[in-house]
Amino acid sequence: GENVEQHPSTLSVQEGDSAVIKCTYSDSASNYFPWYKQELGKRPQLIIDIRSNVGEKKDQRIAVTLNKTAKHFSLHITETQPEDSAVYFCAASLIGYGNNRLAFGKGNQVVVIP
Amino acid sequence: DAGITQSPRHKVTETGTPVTLRCHQTENHRYMYWYRQDPGHGLRLIHYSYGVKDTDKGEVSDGYSVSRSKTEDFLLTLESATSSQTSVYFCAISDRQNTGELFFGEGSRLTVL
C-alpha cells in the first residue's frame, strides 16, 4: 500500500518567516494529495489539497507543490503567524478508481515563535 | 462543520472488557473511516466502510471489528480491550466521488487500564 513520510518532524520558525514541510510518497499511482492541520486538542481539518494533474496550488498564505517524478510534495506557509502553530499531516491517495484509502504521514509539529 | 458526532468522547475501561465506539453522520456520505492517533505514529487507518454492510481492513485492524448496518452509523468494537489500544480514535466521513476530502469527528479518547 501507499507509504507517506514527512520531514522534519518538528519545525520552529520566527513569526513572519516562511515554513516548508516536505512529504514523500511511494505509490506512483496516487493522484490526490491533501494537507490537514490539527490544532492542539482539536480534530484534523483540510487546509489545502492538490491533484496530480496540477503542479502547484495556492490559497492565501499557504501553497502546495507537487513533483510527480520525484514523488514528493510540499506545504509552504508564508508570513507565519502564531495561529499557524499546529500539527500538519500530509496524505496521499488514489481516488476515483475504487481505492478509498487515504494514507497519512506521521505529522509535523510547527511552532511559530512570536 | 460536517454533521459527524462520536460517542463516547471519553472512556476509561479495564483490560479485557469490550468497548464500542459510535460514529454518527447526518451528511449521507458513503464512506466512513476509523483512525487511531498516537504520538509518533500520526493517523493510522483501522477499518473503513464504503457502504452499508461493506467494510474493509486498514493498516492496524488487529483487535478491532466494525459494523455498518445503516448509512449514518459506523461502530468500532474492541472485543477485549488491551492497554495498547489506549489512544484517541477519530471517525471520518467522505463523499469521495466529488472531493476526496475527509471530515473528522471530534475524537474519542480511550484509556485502557
Side-chain angles (χ1 to χ4, degrees):
Chain A
E2 177 64 271
N3 181 48
V4 178
E5 295 190 358
Q6 290 185 241
H7 303 278
S9 59
T10 303
L11 178 64
S12 295
V13 296
Q14 289 291 139
E15 182 177 355
D17 288 349
S18 296
V20 181
I21 305 169
K22 297 179 181 179
C23 281
T24 60
Y25 61 98
S26 62
D27 188 350
S28 57
S30 289
N31 61 4
Y32 175 65
F33 308 92
W35 284 89
Y36 284 77
K37 176 183 179 182
Q38 186 180 29
E39 297 176 358
L40 187 63
K42 301 290 183 64
R43 74 187 85 186
Q45 291 189 298
L46 179 73
I47 55 171
I48 195 167
D49 57 13
I50 192 169
R51 304 290 177 110
S52 58
N53 59 347
V54 176
E56 181 177 0
K57 184 176 179 180
K58 295 183 71 174
D59 183 3
Q60 300 182 347
R61 293 187 299 107
I62 60 174
V64 57
T65 57
L66 171 65
N67 184 327
K68 289 188 293 182
T69 302
K71 289 191 287 187
H72 69 71
F73 55 112
S74 299
L75 177 70
H76 304 254
I77 308 173
T78 59
E79 301 174 23
T80 53
Q81 301 171 5
E83 53 264 38
D84 295 328
S85 294
V87 177
Y88 291 83
F89 293 97
C90 62
S93 178
L94 172 64
I95 62 172
Y97 296 91
N99 182 332
N100 310 303
R101 300 164 62 139
L102 196 63
F104 284 89
K106 294 182 179 181
N108 291 96
Q109 175 75 57
V110 173
V111 177
V112 179
I113 303 167
Chain B
D1 289 340
I4 176 171
T5 55
Q6 294 183 225
S7 59
R9 296 287 316 283
H10 301 273
K11 186 174 181 64
V12 179
T13 191
E14 293 187 350
T15 299
T17 60
V19 176
T20 296
L21 305 180
R22 179 184 183 232
C23 179
H24 178 78
Q25 62 144 330
T26 58
E27 304 295 322
N28 200 36
H29 282 353
R30 177 180 175 185
Y31 302 98
M32 299 185 75
Y33 308 78
W34 278 109
Y35 286 88
R36 61 176 290 175
Q37 183 174 27
D38 305 286
H41 292 278
L43 293 159
R44 293 182 291 176
L45 181 65
I46 305 171
H47 282 279
Y48 70 102
S49 170
Y50 46 96
V52 173
K53 299 190 187 301
D54 291 323
T55 65
D56 202 355
K57 296 178 179 180
E59 59 183 307
V60 290
S61 59
D62 287 348
Y64 301 95
S65 62
V66 290
S67 66
R68 190 169 179 198
S69 58
K70 300 184 290 184
T71 297
E72 56 265 35
D73 289 325
F74 192 33
L75 304 180
L76 177 70
T77 298
L78 292 66
E79 299 291 347
S80 178
T82 67
S83 58
S84 64
Q85 293 176 313
T86 293
S87 186
V88 178
Y89 292 85
F90 283 98
C91 177
I93 61 176
S94 173
D95 180 11
R96 289 185 71 97
Q97 294 299 320
N98 293 332
T99 69
E101 178 177 1
L102 292 184
F103 297 95
F104 285 87
E106 294 181 315
S108 296
R109 181 175 295 276
L110 174 67
T111 302
V112 183
L113 301 175

